[in-house]
Amino acid sequence: MTFWLIKSGKPDMWNYWTDDEVISVGWDVGPHVDKSWNDLRSRIMDKFDKDANWAGNAVGSVKSLAGTHRDSGQQMSSDDVAIIIGTKSVYGHSVVRGVVEVGEYEFDEEGIAPSGDHTYMREIDKWLYGNPSSDTPDEGPIPKTRLGDQFQQGGDNSLHIASTIKRSKFHDTDTLETLVEQLQEAEAVEEPEYDLKVNSERAVEEYLLENIGRLHDRIDTGSIHQQQFLTEESRVDLYCYDQETSDPIVVELKKGEAGVGAYDQLSRYLNAERDKGKDVTGLLVAESFSPSVTQKAAENPHIQLRQIKIDLRFEPVSSESEMEE
């Protein structure tokens, strides 16, 4: 038996995992078991427009879960134990969501909601902690800080995980039993109330191509360029023009929170255009912004922030008899 750590992801897949009784990883590029490492890496690089290092890490996660990793020590198999970690960015704490024994690997081309790209998965054969469907369900996610020192970052059996999936430092079932006991005794955090989230920057980009007026009422709707190169190494999400001044407007999209890195990236784009003599402004579009970004934008007249808000409305539908009246 081998012990593993796996992140439940962002967007968080926990509810989908519990519904389908699986754990999974994404980066869907189709079946891969009979394909080489380099083949899968190339497919991921092409689909997600990422470099070889990023794609290689993704390949490692997929092949670890599938049990086909080129390092035999990194191959998950049936009856192994997976400790499911919910990340700080989702819960406000780095938490343990569940502990499970896994079964067979499968590729499901339909994938798991919400994104559908989690097509690589393993069945959950047994719940050791966290089963929400139990007659006596466990309380919920446990912050790692409420566990013993051995499970803290730097401890002998640390639960820290920087990647998507990795082998844990556990070496025996006694350590696992200690972890489960501590999880059952610790105070859980209250589940967050989720707003609807954006799962794809590209989805927002495609929406704005048809609805750019909702972003800025002065953008020339006939001037929008998607994935525009400013230099050989700089490519913006959307490039368009102010219909009153004819000056360019650069739009950069970010999923989730936009931090200083996103702000600085947009600033570099603007500087590249100004070096060409253009009076350019920028729009940074995201679901939320770090305090540092908000402060920087308040002091910079050339960059504006646009926060994505998703609103569902449920309108009554008239029956045929009502419409006839």
Side-chain angles (χ1 to χ4, degrees):
M1 177 186 295
T2 302
F3 305 99
W4 299 86
L5 302 176
I6 183 170
K7 287 183 180 178
S8 57
K10 184 183 179 184
D12 188 66
M13 303 297 295
W14 172 255
N15 290 332
Y16 303 100
W17 286 0
T18 58
D19 287 346
D20 293 351
E21 293 278 305
V22 297
I23 60 174
S24 61
V25 295
W27 308 293
D28 174 36
V29 288
H32 76 281
V33 170
D34 59 344
K35 304 296 183 180
S36 71
W37 185 285
N38 288 337
D39 174 83
L40 183 57
R41 182 176 62 184
S42 294
R43 282 194 274 162
I44 289 176
M45 289 173 65
D46 291 343
K47 179 172 180 177
F48 295 97
D49 193 23
K50 297 291 186 177
D51 61 29
N53 185 60
W54 186 95
N57 290 332
V59 173
S61 296
V62 172
K63 285 192 167 287
S64 283
L65 187 86
T68 59
H69 199 286
R70 56 189 178 187
D71 179 351
S72 60
Q74 297 299 321
Q75 297 175 0
M76 183 179 286
S77 60
S78 298
D79 299 325
D80 282 356
V81 170
I83 301 160
I84 301 168
I85 305 296
T87 59
K88 181 177 180 180
S89 58
V90 176
Y91 297 102
H93 305 268
S94 183
V95 300
V96 178
R97 278 311 249 127
V99 182
V100 300
E101 289 184 7
V102 300
E104 295 295 325
Y105 166 78
E106 64 174 314
F107 170 79
D108 183 348
E109 64 182 8
E110 296 297 324
I112 300 176
S115 59
D117 63 353
H118 274 239
T119 55
Y120 312 110
M121 57 191 72
R122 274 189 182 270
E123 299 173 346
I124 293 176
D125 276 355
K126 181 179 180 182
W127 287 90
L128 304 178
Y129 177 82
N131 183 2
S133 301
S134 170
D135 292 336
T136 56
D138 297 305
E139 288 189 17
I142 304 297
K144 290 190 288 189
T145 54
R146 298 178 186 175
L147 301 174
D149 290 344
Q150 66 172 313
F151 301 119
Q152 305 300 318
Q153 187 170 352
D156 291 340
N157 297 292
S158 171
L159 298 177
H160 176 69
I161 175 172
S163 54
T164 298
I165 182 172
K166 75 170 188 178
R167 283 190 63 165
S168 79
K169 294 183 177 182
F170 289 23
H171 295 293
D172 55 64
T173 55
D174 288 343
T175 304
L176 178 66
E177 291 173 0
T178 299
L179 172 64
V180 172
E181 289 174 2
Q182 291 190 18
L183 290 171
Q184 292 170 337
E185 294 172 0
E187 182 180 355
V189 294
E190 184 177 349
E191 288 282 10
E193 295 182 4
Y194 290 102
D195 294 324
L196 291 171
K197 297 296 183 181
V198 174
N199 297 322
S200 167
E201 292 172 12
R202 183 56 61 87
V204 177
E205 183 178 315
E206 294 295 334
Y207 176 82
L208 287 177
L209 286 173
E210 301 296 329
N211 301 274
I212 197 66
R214 303 198 68 179
L215 182 64
H216 194 303
D217 59 8
R218 283 170 47 181
I219 290 179
D220 181 356
T221 57
S223 70
I224 307 170
H225 300 278
Q226 190 177 17
Q227 297 294 313
Q228 174 82 14
F229 278 95
L230 304 181
T231 68
E232 290 185 358
E233 299 179 352
S234 300
R235 182 174 61 183
V236 300
D237 293 321
L238 296 174
Y239 191 97
C240 40
Y241 293 90
D242 187 312
Q243 61 184 349
E244 294 185 8
T245 65
S246 298
D247 293 325
I249 299 174
V250 172
V251 181
E252 184 64 19
L253 305 170
K254 292 298 175 187
K255 182 177 70 174
E257 182 181 84
V260 173
Y263 180 91
D264 290 345
Q265 180 182 18
L266 179 56
S267 296
R268 289 193 297 272
Y269 293 160
L270 300 186
N271 291 336
E273 290 298 273
R274 289 197 188 96
D275 288 344
K276 303 173 187 176
K278 298 180 179 181
D279 188 8
V280 61
T281 56
L283 296 177
L284 182 57
V285 181
E287 294 173 87
S288 62
F289 303 91
S290 71
S292 297
V293 168
T294 304
Q295 181 63 36
K296 284 176 175 286
E299 299 171 354
N300 186 346
H302 302 294
I303 291 181
Q304 299 177 25
L305 307 182
R306 292 289 189 273
Q307 185 174 19
I308 301 168
K309 293 287 188 179
I310 302 176
D311 179 36
L312 285 180
R313 293 188 299 172
F314 299 92
E315 303 288 349
V317 177
S318 299
S319 66
E320 290 185 7
S321 60
E322 288 175 331
M323 287 189 290
E324 290 172 356
E325 293 175 0

